Amino acid sequence: MEEMFCYQCQETAGCTGCTKSGVCGKKPDVAAMQDLLVYVTKGMSAVTTRMRAEGNTIKPHVNRRVSTDLFTTITNANFDKEAIVERIKGTLIAKSKLLAEVKDPSGLPEAALWSGEEPEFEAKAATVGVLATENEDIRSLRELITYGVKGLAAYNKHANALKHTNEEVDAFIQRALAATLDDSLSVDDLVALALETGKFGVDVMALLDAANTKTYGNPEITEVDLGVGDNPGILISGHDLRDLEMLLEQTAGTGVDVYTHCEMLPAQYYPAFKKYPHLKGNYGNAWWKQKEEFEKFNGPILMTTNCIVPPAESYKERMWTTGAAGYPGCTHISGKCGEGKDFSAIIEQAKGCAAPTQIETGKIVGGFAHEQVFALADAVVDAVKSGAIRKFVVMAGCDGRAKSRDYYTQFAEALPNDVVILTAGCAKYKYNKLDLGDIGGIPRVLDAGQCNDSYSLALIALKLKEIFELDDVNDLPLAFNIAWYEQKAVIVLLALLYLGVKNIHLGPTLPAFLSPNVANVLVENFGIAGIGTVDEDLKILIG
Ligand code: FSO
Ligand code: SF4
């Protein structure tokens, strides 16, 4: 009898599933509560979907609850069982109120009607996990949709925190979740829904892009310092720009500096964050190196989202969480999505800490989101026309601890000098500190930002297609060699498929949740492939 079953991320045990404990550090009791939280959130979504069909409007706090519930269950976002149990209870209460408003509850799935007290949660959780769906193709598609929708929900929550919402996105998230409970849907129905999830992936990334750029301006070319100063610092990680803004406001004039970590690095490309002189630089690398780097940082670390690595005791009391993130024993800063937060306790702790130990020096350059690249369009187009740039390769996505990911460093190093890398997400840390030079002043690594800023890369591709008067984005001198880790990468992938991008190479391994038949659908219709050796892939992708 398996104690848990989770195969939602790339690092799943044996490329099949984590059954005893998660490679990420998730324990069976937490996995069970996450399964139940997904189940009750799907149930509530079936209720709201019925209510919309009956002509009702769903209140914003209900929409926000659905997105936050899902974000809580994303890989390595929240390890705090108590916090997850509280979300289950809150969702059951919210759902029962909604259910009372449904005129015709006939045909609603069991998840929509189920309710229970905390002592019943464990037994219920054991019956509602991934393996509750027996048919492997239906299970595969249900999970593909669920994971894509988790990614959607994460981006939606970030947009919501900046007071940008889109009722169609919320309605879709809930309709798609409800559909994963519907036994009448066929494989074909679910394939169509997976592709529709990609459409809403584009929509939510557009929503978040608008939220970010309207609030903080358009990213611009920026040099970011990798060294450290003499003041104590707070390291902020994750993806939530609003949290960074509040932290910068509250640390101003306190003598405490702020450093970005991992996916927070691209915040430094936005004009609005440049006005804070105490935003010192970026510290460290991709999420999976945090154990040794957080140790050396010496000051508090604020995790605003995933990716959390279970902390060592030596720095656990310096690690804080907020939003959907959580870790038992680490203090959680409260404040609902869009509300103000009080970071004074973190700032007080920082004041008593030593300045960070320097682990790197130098600078890196980023900020190549859509408007900045459009501003350079003439130079880029000239370089393509003259042959100075032969090809672009999109190497967006995630980094991770698997040794096999060294492939991405080697691939970047082996690329001919006339190839430009377009990147977004933490995948960049595999090559953003290599000296790959430039082509006529255009850096050979163009970093658009966070994983959601893959949207910028799509806009850039569509702009090039327009400039070169092509009918098909696949006719551009553009290849895709994407690395994935968790569920936000799933929505980015589905969004690219929706935009018609073909022949994406996805690594370092294909998702365990794709059954052979579902994988075949992706191979046959979209030419999706895994990765091979660097030499083989250079021939295939660059020619
Ligand atoms: Fe990376 Fe983690 Fe941004 Fe993910 S830090 S792996 S795809 O959370 O979301 O790129
Ligand atoms: Fe395993 Fe990934 Fe699930 Fe963690 S999130 S339990 S590593 S499959």
Side-chain angles (χ1 to χ4, degrees):
M1 176 56 188
E2 277 161 345
E3 289 173 352
M4 61 182 275
F5 186 83
C6 180
Y7 64 174
Q8 67 175 348
C9 83
Q10 188 274 328
E11 293 189 355
T12 193
C15 274
T16 49
C18 295
T19 57
K20 301 275 177 231
S21 182
V23 173
C24 60
K26 182 162 79 175
K27 299 284 182 252
D29 58 336
V30 173
M33 290 307 108
Q34 289 192 358
D35 286 348
L36 189 60
L37 180 57
V38 169
Y39 176 77
V40 299
T41 307
K42 286 182 173 183
M44 186 166 81
S45 296
V47 175
T48 57
T49 301
R50 177 66 60 88
M51 288 175 71
R52 283 189 176 91
E54 291 178 350
N56 293 292
T57 303
I58 303 303
K59 296 209 171 79
H61 75 89
V62 174
N63 292 332
R64 283 198 300 271
R65 174 174 282 282
V66 171
S67 287
T68 306
D69 281 358
L70 292 176
F71 203 166
T72 303
T73 69
I74 274 185
T75 297
N76 64 28
N78 201 314
F79 296 82
D80 186 348
K81 183 178 172 189
E82 273 177 38
I84 299 165
V85 166
E86 285 312 307
R87 292 212 70 82
I88 295 168
K89 289 186 195 163
T91 302
L92 286 173
I93 292 168
K95 188 192 68 182
S96 77
K97 286 185 192 151
L98 293 166
L99 204 48
E101 292 179 47
V102 172
K103 292 187 201 87
D104 175 15
S106 62
L108 280 175
E110 196 254 346
L113 307 173
W114 183 81
S115 190
E117 300 295 327
E118 191 176 339
E120 300 162 66
F121 285 1
E122 207 179 304
K124 185 65 185 174
T127 67
V128 299
V130 169
L131 299 177
T133 302
E134 279 173 22
N135 178 298
E136 74 164 351
D137 295 328
I138 299 282
R139 182 198 305 150
S140 174
L141 287 161
R142 284 180 173 177
E143 296 310 315
L144 172 62
I145 293 161
T146 302
Y147 304 150
V149 171
K150 285 189 185 190
L152 252 169
Y155 294 156
N156 194 37
K157 181 177 181 292
H158 290 309
N160 295 168
L162 297 174
K163 310 244 185 286
H164 285 242
T165 56
N166 177 341
E167 160 59 22
E168 286 179 18
V169 166
D170 287 307
F172 176 78
I173 288 174
Q174 293 156 39
R175 171 163 63 85
L177 290 177
T180 65
L181 300 168
D182 184 346
D183 291 329
S184 74
L185 297 182
S186 66
V187 163
D188 286 348
D189 294 332
L190 292 171
V191 167
L193 184 61
L195 298 180
E196 194 184 2
T197 306
K199 180 222 177 279
F200 284 93
V202 175
D203 291 353
V204 83
M205 283 191 268
L207 179 72
L208 180 51
D209 183 79
N212 287 340
T213 56
K214 286 189 178 140
T215 313
Y216 303 119
N218 275 299
E220 52 197 25
I221 301 177
T222 306
E223 277 195 333
V224 178
D225 210 322
L226 301 176
V228 299
D230 298 330
N231 293 335
I234 297 173
L235 188 58
I236 178 167
S237 189
H239 305 70
D240 199 301
L241 300 185
R242 175 73 186 122
D243 285 337
L244 173 64
E245 183 183 18
M246 288 187 277
L247 182 65
L248 285 168
E249 280 164 3
Q250 294 174 34
T251 42
T254 62
V256 172
D257 290 336
V258 173
Y259 294 80
T260 54
H261 172 256
C262 191
E263 275 283 75
M264 200 58 88
L265 156 68
Q268 314 224 18
Y269 311 154
Y270 288 87
F273 292 113
K274 295 187 175 169
K275 67 175 186 239
Y276 300 100
H278 61 299
L279 177 57
K280 264 293 200 233
N282 192 67
Y283 191 85
N285 291 277
W287 64 272
W288 61 277
K289 287 192 171 169
Q290 67 189 247
K291 259 191 150 151
E292 64 186 82
E293 294 177 347
F294 286 4
E295 186 80 58
K296 291 189 174 129
F297 185 73
N298 302 331
I301 303 119
L302 173 61
M303 304 298 301
T304 66
T305 63
N306 57 335
C307 289
I308 296 174
V309 175
E313 287 302 322
S314 55
Y315 67 83
K316 194 169 172 185
E317 58 154 7
R318 288 194 275 119
M319 197 161 108
W320 304 67
T321 61
T322 191
Y327 197 88
C330 295
T331 311
H332 187 82
I333 301 288
S334 61
K336 289 194 177 138
C337 181
E339 286 180 354
K341 294 181 183 177
D342 178 3
F343 294 124
S344 56
I346 307 182
I347 298 167
E348 274 318 301
Q349 186 185 58
K351 286 178 183 166
C353 293
T357 304
Q358 183 147 291
I359 54 174
E360 287 176 293
T361 55
K363 292 180 190 299
I364 45 173
V365 178
F368 296 92
H370 49 86
E371 290 311 300
Q372 179 65 82
V373 175
F374 294 171
L376 298 172
D378 288 347
V380 172
V381 169
D382 287 350
V384 174
K385 283 189 176 152
S386 72
I389 294 179
R390 177 174 21 149
K391 203 152 192 172
F392 298 92
V393 54
V394 174
M395 291 178 72
C398 324
D399 198 5
R401 55 198 134 195
K403 186 84 186 104
S404 54
R405 288 182 187 262
D406 289 348
Y407 160 95
Y408 293 103
T409 307
Q410 291 155 9
F411 186 85
E413 283 174 323
L415 282 171
N417 288 337
D418 53 5
V419 176
V420 170
I421 296 172
L422 301 176
T423 192
C426 61
K428 65 168 85 53
Y429 287 97
K430 276 282 184 273
Y431 41 77
N432 68 343
K433 292 167 186 173
L434 302 175
D435 188 10
L436 295 181
D438 64 80
I439 299 173
I442 302 165
R444 284 191 56 228
V445 178
L446 298 181
D447 176 21
Q450 297 180 333
C451 44
N452 48 289
D453 294 309
S454 299
Y455 174 71
S456 256
L457 302 181
L459 288 190
I460 292 164
L462 294 173
K463 185 75 167 178
L464 289 173
K465 176 183 139 209
E466 182 190 312
I467 293 173
F468 289 108
E469 296 179 355
L470 299 169
D471 295 329
D472 186 343
V473 73
N474 295 295
D475 294 336
L476 282 168
L478 180 66
F480 287 80
N481 195 2
I482 287 183
W484 83 286
Y485 170 52
E486 47 90 357
Q487 297 78 56
K488 288 178 236 170
V490 176
I491 194 59
V492 170
L493 176 70
L494 292 174
L496 290 173
L497 298 185
Y498 170 74
L499 291 172
V501 175
K502 297 237 164 38
N503 304 321
I504 294 173
H505 286 238
L506 184 65
T509 53
L510 290 180
F513 56 80
L514 296 180
S515 67
N517 287 331
V518 173
N520 262 344
V521 170
L522 297 180
V523 171
E524 280 167 20
N525 293 305
F526 300 100
I528 292 229
I531 59 169
T533 67
V534 168
D535 286 346
E536 283 162 6
D537 291 352
L538 279 173
K539 282 193 199 103
I540 296 168
L541 291 167
I542 310 300

